[in-house]
């Protein structure tokens, strides 16, 4: 799907229900992306100066900024926008709220890896009873398989909640279940 009026068509809703995700290319226009980059900043300023870091199982670093309430900066405006919240209200058929926001900073080719997981695998343990939630991923730089982009298993939400445990120093989905799903689902 491409950015525009953000009307959720019956086809988009069906794709979301079947696959568990939709991809909206160019969600943010050039001006919005520049404002986001300025807000996120670098380690010398902006929110990245507040990042914490952890190592994956190979010792490579992943940096993370995490917060609970959408502020009045550009990240909060994006989270509350019609493009994001309005679209998710239509996809999830009801009102949505902001659970948390996170910026993952991963250097291409050398940054640490995130293990397979379901976001609901975390949220479930925080008292959220139903998986009627959504995640928005906005790549600020080119992201593809050669530099370690986000990967999803199409339709994996139909497998239900998978138990999560410590995997490679992170909280991840049960590796045996993931291996079985990878045999039958498109990545």
């Amino acid at each position: 799907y491409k950015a525009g009026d953000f009307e959720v068509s019956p086809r988009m809703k069906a794709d979301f229900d079947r696959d568990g995700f939709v991809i909206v290319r160019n969600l943010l226009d050039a001006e919005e992306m520049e404002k986001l980059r300025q807000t996120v900043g670098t380690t010398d300023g902006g929110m990245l100066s507040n990042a914490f870091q952890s190592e994956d199982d190979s010792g490579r670093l992943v940096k993370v900024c995490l917060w609970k309430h959408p502020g009045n900066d550009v990240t909060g405006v994006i989270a509350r926008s019609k493009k994001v919240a309005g679209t998710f209200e239509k996809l999830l058929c009801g009102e949505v709220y902001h659970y948390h926001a996170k910026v993952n900073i991963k250097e291409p080719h050398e940054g640490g890896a995130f293990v397979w997981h379901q976001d609901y695998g975390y949220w479930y343990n925080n008292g959220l009873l139903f998986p009627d939630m959504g995640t928005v991923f906005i790549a600020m730089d080119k992201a593809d398989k050669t530099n370690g982009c986000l990967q999803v298993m199409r339709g994996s939400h139909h497998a239900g909640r998978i138990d999560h445990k410590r995997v490679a120093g992170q909280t991840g989905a049960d590796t045996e279940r993931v291996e079985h799903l990878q045999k039958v689902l498109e990545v």
Side-chain angles (χ1 to χ4, degrees):
Y1 298 94
K2 294 189 179 187
D5 295 332
F6 291 92
E7 293 305 318
V8 175
S9 67
R11 180 177 170 209
M12 181 187 273
K13 174 71 170 115
D15 288 349
F16 179 77
D17 290 343
R18 180 192 66 231
D19 298 338
F21 65 93
V22 293
I23 297 173
V24 178
R25 303 214 182 270
N26 301 311
L27 175 72
L28 304 179
D29 63 31
E31 181 181 356
E32 292 165 326
M33 278 302 294
E34 183 54 32
K35 287 180 180 178
L36 181 59
R37 281 188 180 92
Q38 289 172 5
T39 298
V40 172
T42 64
T43 54
D44 296 332
M47 71 175 51
L48 291 189
S49 61
N50 296 310
F52 65 90
Q53 54 188 18
S54 62
E55 293 182 355
D56 68 7
D57 63 335
S58 67
R60 296 182 300 178
L61 291 179
V62 174
K63 299 175 196 159
V64 178
C65 294
L66 180 67
W67 62 100
K68 294 288 186 184
H69 302 286
N72 292 322
D73 68 6
V74 72
T75 63
V77 171
I78 291 168
R80 290 189 300 271
S81 71
K82 180 181 176 189
K83 290 179 179 185
V84 174
T87 298
F88 265 110
E89 285 181 347
K90 292 175 183 172
L91 290 173
L92 295 172
C93 301
E95 185 177 5
V96 297
Y97 72 97
H98 185 270
Y99 178 75
H100 79 254
K102 179 174 17 175
V103 175
N104 291 326
I105 304 98
K106 187 187 141 331
E107 298 298 327
H109 309 290
E110 60 189 52
F114 292 94
V115 297
W116 282 106
H117 66 276
Q118 296 172 313
D119 287 349
Y120 185 59
Y122 302 106
W123 300 333
Y124 174 84
N125 289 321
N126 292 333
L128 299 164
L129 299 177
F130 301 102
D132 300 329
M133 305 177 89
T135 297
V136 177
F137 173 81
I138 299 172
M140 293 179 54
D141 299 304
K142 182 180 182 337
D144 59 33
K145 287 185 180 181
T146 66
N147 67 1
C149 66
L150 173 74
Q151 296 184 65
V152 294
M153 284 188 239
R154 187 179 305 273
S156 61
H157 63 301
H158 294 298
R161 184 183 65 81
I162 297 171
D163 288 334
H164 281 58
K165 58 186 176 184
R166 295 302 286 174
V167 176
Q170 301 174 34
T171 301
D174 178 274
T175 54
E176 186 175 322
R177 294 281 295 181
V178 169
E179 289 170 9
H180 288 298
L181 288 170
Q182 286 177 309
K183 292 175 185 175
V184 298
L185 297 175
E186 176 187 344
V187 175

